[in-house]
Amino acid sequence: MGTPQTRTVLALLVWHANEVVPLSRMIDELWGARPPSSAKVQLQGIISRLRRLLGRERITTTPTGYVLHATTAELDVELVRADLARARSLIADGEVALGASTLRAALGRWDGPVDPPLVESVACRLDELRMTVLEERIDAELLLGGDADLIGELTAVVAEHPLRERFRAQLMTALARRGRVSEALDVFHSFRRTMVAELGVEPSARLCSLHTRILRGEQDTRPAFPMPRKAHRPRQLPPALPDFVSRADLLTELSDVLTGAGTRPPLVVVSGTAGLGKTSFVVQLAHHVRERFPDGQLFASLRGDDTMAALRQFVRALGVPADLVPSAEDECSALLRDLLAGREVLLVVDNAGDAGQVRPFVPAEPGCAVLVTSRRSLTELEGARLVRLCLFDAAESAELLTRITGAPPGEALVARCGGLPLALRIAGALLLDRPHWTSDDLAARLSDERTRLDWLEAGDLDVRASFNASYRQLPAPHQTLFRRMGLLPAAPVPGWLAAALLDTGQDHAERVLEDLVSWHLVSAVDRGPTIRYGMHDLVRCFSVEQAETEQERDAVITRARAAIARVAAFSTAAR
């Protein structure tokens, strides 16, 4: 660009692009209080040289000065400002990695230190802009966990800029997170001595707070200057069923439980056998009470074992950027409780496998409420209101089929579905898909127990698959007893007969039976002197299919006959 004076004039024009730079301002910057008599002529010569280099139309003359015309895309400083604004928006929306990359690209627009001959005010502003971009890039990388990689860079930056507090805070945070607590504290004390000696002031309250948290061992605290986070009020409930039937009294009762005042958040667990409509019922209930929880309604399915994925989903829905979500389950649960404090949020946790999966979602303070569905009873869950859904009776079954198909069903079809809502919905879907069938036609196809489950499938609705999801979660002895019970006649099974099927003691067999009751795969159907256990007809159809070989089928019958003979002989001898 030629002489230092030419670069100074260009710097003024570019910094104030598309604005008039007064002639007097240029003269002051070039020569100060004692300009030469030829100042105007020399300045005109500089402008002429710049016009030859940049194009005559680029710089225009006004009555008071000069204007350099440029678009935003031509100005590095404007591109940096645009990158900075975009990065802040990305980070606020949780895209921290992309925001950090954008900030690195902005810093890449600097080729080196500011040219010394530039106007002092312009040089200071360029330096300040670069420091701001650098600080925010380091903040973003701290959020991403890049502590170790940043320590060397921050050490050099702090030495170069000893009075910039934000760099000190970042270095303290990076060191503390790497376990180098004494060095982090030394950074604070060195800064404090510098501030007191040179400026006569103490470090800010924010830096002192970071120092205190490090002293307490809170090494995983976020940077002292965290990025902003947007407030969220999630509305995650699935839609309620338009043809929902029955259970009106239970909806009213549980609505009162969820919305009632208390010293702890209400926790309701709805359990029942596979296909009983637990999720549909809980979603219906959640819609009944959603106005009571204005800060949001959260919904996630655990699918039996994915607790951490649901925790991440909830904290992200409440406004935490993805890169700030803790990787450990206990930390993520603690963060969720922190986010829920003082808020009114309804949490719906679908398909929990055990109480241990539910506890991470339970808030510590009243105001929120938790709704859970499970195929187990979860009686070990502290403070929970336990609700076991029942099968539909004949009238409720007929009402659901009527709402689905628009026509009353026959009694035979209602009986074949056994009051199981999933089976009823599949039957309704089949009748809609096959308008040439009557309900008696479908009932006839369901009459054979060996093929009944083959028919009870429509799209993603499948009775067999629903039962199989429960069966796969059973321990091996429970699976063995479950499938062997299905091979017996439909009469209820006492504990001594279950012991024969398992070839084990009666106490152990009865514990396995009671576990199957908790899983809602068998039920206590005869509570006389001896408890007997039975199966729903559709569950029995599934159980029969699980027999591994014909030899197992034969062995079950042989063991059952032998056990019955022993009991009969004992009874005869006793008489």
Side-chain angles (χ1 to χ4, degrees):
M1 298 308 299
T3 65
Q5 288 182 325
T6 303
R7 292 200 294 275
T8 298
V9 171
L10 179 60
L12 278 172
L13 291 170
V14 171
W15 188 262
H16 299 281
N18 304 306
E19 299 175 5
V20 175
V21 180
L23 191 66
S24 58
R25 168 74 188 281
M26 292 184 179
I27 291 174
D28 286 343
E29 294 291 352
L30 289 174
W31 293 288
R34 296 182 178 182
S37 57
S38 60
K40 283 190 177 182
V41 174
Q42 291 187 49
L43 182 56
Q44 289 169 354
I46 291 173
I47 295 296
S48 296
R49 188 178 306 119
L50 290 174
R51 282 172 172 159
R52 287 195 300 272
L53 291 168
L54 303 176
R56 292 196 59 82
E57 72 287 349
R58 180 70 74 175
I59 301 174
T60 59
T61 304
T62 72
T64 58
Y66 298 97
V67 179
L68 182 141
H69 301 280
T71 64
T72 299
E74 293 178 299
L75 299 169
D76 282 359
V77 69
E78 294 302 327
L79 294 175
V80 168
R81 287 169 176 154
D83 285 342
L84 180 58
R86 179 169 176 265
R88 286 170 171 168
S89 178
L90 286 168
I91 292 168
D93 286 337
E95 301 291 344
V96 182
L98 187 55
S101 176
T102 303
L103 292 168
R104 282 193 290 272
L107 288 169
R109 298 188 186 279
W110 270 270
D111 293 327
V114 176
D115 193 350
L118 283 181
V119 179
E120 183 178 354
S121 60
V122 173
C124 291
R125 291 181 184 182
L126 281 172
D127 275 335
E128 182 59 33
L129 178 61
R130 184 175 183 275
M131 289 299 100
T132 299
V133 176
L134 179 60
E135 287 170 341
E136 300 207 11
R137 191 219 85 204
I138 292 173
D139 265 345
E141 293 186 357
L142 281 172
L143 295 178
L144 293 171
D147 314 311
D149 296 334
L150 291 171
I151 290 174
E153 179 184 6
L154 281 168
T155 301
V157 171
V158 164
E160 185 180 354
H161 303 277
L163 296 180
R164 287 192 80 95
E165 187 175 284
R166 193 169 181 179
F167 287 139
R168 296 273 183 166
Q170 291 167 335
L171 180 56
M172 289 168 62
T173 300
L175 287 168
R177 287 181 179 176
R178 302 304 298 178
R180 298 162 64 174
V181 175
S182 61
E183 294 174 71
L185 298 176
D186 285 344
V187 171
F188 174 80
H189 293 305
S190 172
F191 181 67
R192 182 178 181 276
R193 287 193 297 270
T194 301
M195 291 288 286
V196 171
E198 296 191 16
L199 302 178
V201 297
E202 293 283 345
S204 72
R206 187 174 289 181
L207 194 69
C208 292
S209 174
L210 175 60
H211 172 251
T212 301
R213 295 202 304 275
I214 293 174
L215 281 172
R216 291 173 179 169
E218 300 175 15
Q219 296 181 15
D220 292 326
T221 52
R222 287 168 177 74
F225 304 92
M227 297 297 177
R229 166 167 106 198
K230 292 185 176 179
H232 288 67
R233 293 184 177 181
R235 301 289 186 266
Q236 295 186 339
L237 293 180
L241 291 176
D243 51 14
F244 185 85
V245 301
S246 186
R247 314 195 198 279
D249 291 343
L250 186 57
L251 282 173
T252 300
E253 177 186 348
L254 295 181
S255 295
D256 292 340
V257 171
L258 291 170
T259 59
T263 57
R264 56 180 298 161
L267 171 59
V268 174
V269 178
V270 177
S271 65
T273 190
L276 199 54
K278 300 180 293 296
T279 301
S280 299
F281 173 78
V282 161
V283 169
Q284 194 79 12
L285 175 58
H287 280 283
H288 267 249
V289 300
R290 65 183 179 182
E291 299 302 325
R292 162 64 178 74
F293 301 95
D295 293 322
Q297 303 94 44
L298 299 168
F299 181 94
S301 177
L302 299 185
R303 298 180 180 86
D305 59 0
D306 204 356
T307 307
M308 191 59 194
L311 283 171
R312 288 195 189 99
Q313 175 186 325
F314 282 3
V315 297
R316 287 200 64 187
L318 291 170
V320 177
D323 301 289
L324 289 181
V325 177
S327 57
E329 182 178 308
D330 56 346
E331 293 178 4
C332 200
S333 175
L335 176 58
L336 177 62
R337 287 194 295 272
D338 181 48
L339 293 168
L340 294 174
R343 304 179 74 177
E344 295 178 318
V345 177
L346 176 65
L347 296 83
V348 182
V349 180
D350 188 37
N351 200 20
D354 54 45
Q357 287 189 310
V358 176
R359 292 188 184 100
F361 297 94
V362 179
E365 303 175 13
C368 297
V370 184
L371 260 174
V372 179
T373 71
S374 177
R375 299 187 180 201
R376 288 188 55 236
S377 298
L378 304 190
T379 53
E380 69 273 27
L381 191 58
E382 304 86 351
R385 172 66 178 273
L386 304 177
V387 179
R388 300 189 182 196
L389 287 190
C390 299
L391 296 163
F392 281 177
D393 60 26
E396 293 167 331
S397 299
E399 182 184 356
L400 178 56
L401 279 170
T402 301
R403 290 197 180 189
I404 294 172
T405 65
E411 293 181 2
L413 179 58
V414 169
R416 295 285 186 270
C417 292
L420 191 72
L422 178 59
L424 292 163
R425 289 198 172 277
I426 293 172
L430 291 173
L431 291 175
L432 288 174
D433 190 50
R434 298 163 173 82
H436 52 286
W437 283 8
T438 65
S439 64
D440 289 339
D441 291 331
L442 179 54
R445 288 167 170 81
L446 298 177
S447 61
D448 188 342
E449 292 185 353
R450 294 170 299 180
T451 60
R452 185 175 298 173
L453 296 184
D454 294 334
W455 285 107
L456 288 176
E457 177 183 352
D460 61 346
L461 303 178
D462 188 341
V463 170
R464 179 185 284 113
S466 183
F467 290 155
N468 191 44
S470 295
Y471 178 72
R472 289 197 312 270
Q473 297 180 51
L474 296 175
H478 297 64
Q479 289 185 348
T480 299
L481 181 57
F482 173 75
R483 66 174 181 266
R484 290 180 177 178
M485 284 179 65
L487 297 173
L488 297 177
V493 174
W496 56 263
L497 183 52
L501 297 181
L502 276 179
D503 193 20
T504 187
Q506 184 170 336
D507 285 348
H508 177 260
E510 288 180 346
R511 285 197 297 273
V512 174
L513 280 169
E514 289 298 333
D515 287 344
L516 292 174
V517 170
S518 177
W519 276 97
H520 301 283
L521 289 171
V522 305
S523 57
V525 295
D526 186 351
R527 300 181 182 275
T530 300
I531 299 177
R532 296 172 181 268
Y533 302 86
M535 287 182 175
H536 186 276
D537 288 347
L538 294 177
V539 176
R540 181 178 297 280
C541 292
F542 173 78
S543 173
V544 170
E545 294 179 351
Q546 307 315 305
E548 296 178 343
T549 62
E550 287 297 326
Q551 289 79 6
E552 184 179 27
R553 294 173 186 265
D554 294 340
V556 166
I557 300 301
T558 299
R559 289 186 182 191
R561 285 175 175 167
I564 292 170
R566 286 195 299 270
V567 171
F570 178 79
S571 298
T572 301
R575 286 198 297 271

